[in-house]
């Protein structure tokens, strides 16, 4: 009896310790989000309006954390995609890429359609007057065609080193006395703006990985270099993410201090805010979950529950690219094939922006409703296509959607300056839509892994004859730990 009692008494304790140990970081990150909200509200109500310098001091620890994550993006992205593509044969790479792109395209189209249905039904801008609430946004004169052409140009960077630091973009310069002159008659110039050209790096990595795969034995040394680099980046990521609770706390607190009267903002933009939030929730926990279930025959919610740390980090940083290392590590811990994770997640963080696509469709139609502009069915289709293209071109950085919003507004003939109408709540919506973007990427990876399981298992068996003796344990899919 005593032995039985001792055993049954010890088990709950050991299980509890194991649970706390395995979920401690997740718990602390979630606490960081709520703690940052509480700290921001407390500091905001305890003193006069905070100066920009005082806010900078509060945000400083969060900025350091964000810098550490961004430092990992380029080496992790290039090494992950190259090693993932290089370790698969060409036919398998094609299958995984095809499944991932179909999934991303489907979910993006669903997000845009859902956003248009909601904004057309709720009509948040009808019969309302909204000031710009003191918001400021950087806008530039540009045609939609120029934005789409720049998207393709950035896929093929002229200098791969330059692509790690700069992006190409077209600039339209007005002629002298340009009053009333259409944009099509502006002088066309170009410049390289600061910011990583992620699309170009992804394209280069895919091509390099495909080349390494075709080289077979000759490419093995180069493949192992990228595999080792990818593993090293993940180890560094495991060190950095322990700072995430502190970083997220101060990032959220600083944003709340920068905010004007939120009640005033909600009074004018409340219906718009609620429309976007409803769309994001329905898409994230409805549309994507249904697609996931129909494809895998599994419920998405248990997997979403395991991503709480990833989602909290995405909300805190507002950047899908910065969250990418943590997403990859989380999926590795969930047992997803690393070859799938290291290809699908970087590509998803680059081209899959469901939340951004939904937001831009809603925002464009909301502004049109404010201006009492009636949109035909053709205009709505144009908004759908442009919002989809703009979401693909949006960088995975905080508030990148505001930049591509100009492209969507141009589609329905609205001035770029109208972006300032919604900027007052954009910083908060940006965090929610980034969270949905990251969740969609992660669920897409699990879905692609599920569909590719038999192919990956067969490929692992096919490589057993070529493997070194010490690699057989890793390659054999039926090997038990």
């Amino acid at each position: 009896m005593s032995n039985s009692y001792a055993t049954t008494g010890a088990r709950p304790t050991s299980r509890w310790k194991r649970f706390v140990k395995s979920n401690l970081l997740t718990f602390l990150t979630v606490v960081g989000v709520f703690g940052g909200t509480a700290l921001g509200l407390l500091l905001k109500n305890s003193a006069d309006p905070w100066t920009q310098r005082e806010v900078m001091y509060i945000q400083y620890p969060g900025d350091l954390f964000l810098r550490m994550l961004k430092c990992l993006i380029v080496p992790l992205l290039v090494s992950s995609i190259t090693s993932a593509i290089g370790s698969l044969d060409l036919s398998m790479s094609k299958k995984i890429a095809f499944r991932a792109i179909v999934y991303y395209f489907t979910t993006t189209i669903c997000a845009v359609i859902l956003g248009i249905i909601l904004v057309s039904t709720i009509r948040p801008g009808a019969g309302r007057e909204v000031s710009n609430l003191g918001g400021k946004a950087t806008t530039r004169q540009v045609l939609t065609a120029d934005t789409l052409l720049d998207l393709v140009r950035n896929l093929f960077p002229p200098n791969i080193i330059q692509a790690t630091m700069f992006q190409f973009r077209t600039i339209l310069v007005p002629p002298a006395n340009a009053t009333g002159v259409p944009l099509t008659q502006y002088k066309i110039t170009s410049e390289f703006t600061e910011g990583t050209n992620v699309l170009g790096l992804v394209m280069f990595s895919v091509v390099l990985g495909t080349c390494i795969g075709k080289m077979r034995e000759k490419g093995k040394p180069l493949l192992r270099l990228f595999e080792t680099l990818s593993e090293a980046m993940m180890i560094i990521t495991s060190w950095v993410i322990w700072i995430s609770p502190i970083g997220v706390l101060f990032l959220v607190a600083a944003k709340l201090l920068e905010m004007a009267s939120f009640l005033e903002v909600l009074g004018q933009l409340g219906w718009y805010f609620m429309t976007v939030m409803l769309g994001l929730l329905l898409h994230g926990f409805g549309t994507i979950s249904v697609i996931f279930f129909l494809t895998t025959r599994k419920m998405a919610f248990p997997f979403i529950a395991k991503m709480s740390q990833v989602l909290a980090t995405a909300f805190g940083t507002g950047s899908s690219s910065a969250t990418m290392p943590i997403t990859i590590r989380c999926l590795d811990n969930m047992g997803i094939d690393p070859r799938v994770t290291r290809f699908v997640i970087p590509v998803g963080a680059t081209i899959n922006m469901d939340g951004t696509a939904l937001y831009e469709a809603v925002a464009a139609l909301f502004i049109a409703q404010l201006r009492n502009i009636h949109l035909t069915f053709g205009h709505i289709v144009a908004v759908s296509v442009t919002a989809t293209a703009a979401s693909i071109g949006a960088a995975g950085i905080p508030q990148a959607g505001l930049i591509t919003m100009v492209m969507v507004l141009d589609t329905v003939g609205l001035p770029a300056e109208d972006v300032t109408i919604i900027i007052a709540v954009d910083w908060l919506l940006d965090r929610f839509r980034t969270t949905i973007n990251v969740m969609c990427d992660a669920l897409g990876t699990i879905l692609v892994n599920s569909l590719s399981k038999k192919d990956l298992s067969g490929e692992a068996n096919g490589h057993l004859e070529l493997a070194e003796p010490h690699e057989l344990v890793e390659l054999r899919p039926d090997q038990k730990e």
Side-chain angles (χ1 to χ4, degrees):
M1 289 292 289
S2 61
N3 289 339
S4 176
Y5 177 79
T7 304
T8 54
R11 278 180 181 170
T13 305
S14 60
R15 286 177 182 173
W16 173 251
K17 287 181 178 178
R18 228 172 13 247
F19 174 80
V20 171
K21 185 177 180 180
S22 60
N23 294 278
L24 179 61
L25 185 58
T26 300
F27 176 73
L28 291 176
T29 307
V30 174
V31 168
V33 172
F34 289 103
T37 303
L39 177 63
L41 293 175
L42 181 65
L43 293 176
K44 189 175 183 64
N45 295 325
S46 65
D48 294 329
W50 288 65
T51 65
Q52 184 182 8
R53 175 166 290 276
E54 290 170 337
V55 173
M56 182 269 290
Y57 289 144
I58 296 294
Q59 191 173 333
Y60 185 70
D63 279 340
L64 293 181
F65 167 65
L66 208 50
R67 283 169 171 265
M68 292 178 195
L69 283 179
K70 288 181 177 179
C71 180
L72 298 173
I73 292 173
V74 171
L76 179 62
L77 184 145
V78 173
S79 62
S80 295
I81 295 181
T82 304
S83 61
I85 297 293
S87 61
L88 297 167
D89 63 38
L90 189 57
S91 62
M92 190 66 249
S93 299
K94 286 181 180 178
K95 289 179 182 178
I96 291 177
F98 176 76
R99 289 162 182 161
I101 291 172
V102 168
Y103 168 80
Y104 289 147
F105 182 77
T106 303
T107 55
T108 302
I109 292 295
C110 288
V112 173
I113 293 173
L114 176 61
I116 290 174
I117 291 173
L118 288 176
V119 75
S120 300
T121 304
I122 300 173
R123 296 186 60 79
R128 293 181 175 82
E129 293 185 5
V130 178
S131 66
N132 64 13
L133 297 170
K136 295 180 181 179
T138 302
T139 59
R140 63 190 179 97
Q141 300 286 358
V142 66
L143 292 173
T144 300
D146 294 327
T147 307
L148 294 174
L149 291 173
D150 286 348
L151 181 67
V152 179
R153 288 188 184 103
N154 280 316
L155 276 172
F156 307 99
N159 186 322
I160 194 62
I161 304 300
Q162 184 187 45
T164 63
M165 297 175 282
F166 297 97
Q167 298 182 43
F168 178 92
R169 76 174 185 182
T170 298
I171 300 292
L172 299 182
V173 179
N177 302 321
T179 305
V181 178
L183 287 177
T184 52
Q185 296 182 18
Y186 279 32
K187 180 182 178 181
I188 302 175
T189 60
S190 62
E191 67 176 1
F192 283 92
T193 60
E194 189 174 339
T196 304
N197 179 8
V198 179
L199 282 173
L201 293 178
V202 167
M203 175 62 77
F204 175 80
S205 302
V206 168
V207 173
L208 180 59
T210 303
C211 178
I212 291 174
K214 289 184 71 67
M215 291 174 68
R216 296 185 180 275
E217 287 301 316
K218 289 183 178 179
K220 283 290 180 68
L222 188 56
L223 175 62
R224 286 176 178 167
L225 169 66
F226 284 105
E227 288 175 340
T228 304
L229 178 60
S230 176
E231 186 176 343
M233 290 300 102
M234 291 311 302
I235 292 173
I236 297 175
T237 299
S238 67
W239 297 342
V240 172
I241 59 174
W242 281 101
I243 312 171
S244 61
I246 300 173
V248 166
L249 184 147
F250 285 101
L251 284 172
V252 173
K255 277 299 177 184
L256 286 170
L257 290 176
E258 288 178 347
M259 183 181 62
S261 174
F262 194 60
L263 292 178
E264 179 187 349
V265 170
L266 279 185
Q268 296 195 44
L269 296 174
W271 281 103
Y272 162 74
F273 182 87
M274 295 306 298
T275 303
V276 176
M277 284 299 300
L278 179 62
L280 293 175
L281 290 173
L282 287 177
H283 182 67
F285 297 96
T287 308
I288 296 176
S289 298
V290 169
I291 293 174
F292 186 87
F293 176 76
L294 292 176
T295 309
T296 65
R297 301 298 176 187
K298 296 177 182 177
M299 297 297 292
F301 301 107
F303 296 101
I304 294 174
K306 295 178 182 178
M307 301 175 199
S308 50
Q309 183 206 343
V310 173
L311 301 182
T313 305
F315 181 86
T317 61
S319 171
S320 53
S321 294
T323 312
M324 184 176 68
I326 298 176
T327 309
I328 292 175
R329 184 177 182 273
C330 176
L331 291 173
D332 284 348
N333 292 338
M334 290 166 62
I336 307 303
D337 193 301
R339 292 171 293 179
V340 176
T341 303
R342 280 155 177 73
F343 173 67
V344 178
I345 287 296
V347 172
T350 306
I351 69 172
N352 183 49
M353 301 287 178
D354 289 4
T356 303
L358 184 147
Y359 144 82
E360 292 189 344
V362 171
L365 297 185
F366 166 73
I367 293 172
Q369 290 170 4
L370 285 176
R371 301 299 188 198
N372 293 317
I373 297 176
H374 176 70
L375 298 180
T376 63
F377 179 75
H379 279 126
I380 293 176
V381 171
V383 167
S384 303
V385 175
T386 312
T388 303
S391 69
I392 295 173
I397 57 175
Q399 294 185 297
L402 276 180
I403 300 170
T404 53
M405 262 305 302
V406 175
M407 172 178 160
V408 183
L409 292 177
D410 179 63
T411 304
V412 289
L414 292 168
E417 291 73 21
D418 280 0
V419 170
T420 59
I421 294 173
I422 59 173
I423 197 173
V425 294
D426 183 76
W427 71 270
L428 184 56
L429 288 176
D430 179 57
R431 276 156 167 71
F432 284 108
R433 65 179 182 254
T434 298
T435 304
I436 295 299
N437 290 343
V438 170
M439 187 178 82
C440 183
D441 293 345
L443 288 177
T445 305
I446 298 170
L447 183 149
V448 171
N449 182 76
S450 178
L451 294 177
S452 309
K453 192 167 290 185
K454 290 183 180 179
D455 297 322
L456 291 167
S457 176
E459 181 165 297
N461 283 327
H463 284 306
L464 289 177
E465 296 177 2
L466 301 175
E468 298 293 334
H470 68 277
E471 295 176 322
L472 292 176
V473 175
E474 297 179 9
L475 286 173
R476 195 180 300 279
D478 58 349
Q479 182 72 35
K480 304 294 183 183
E481 292 185 358

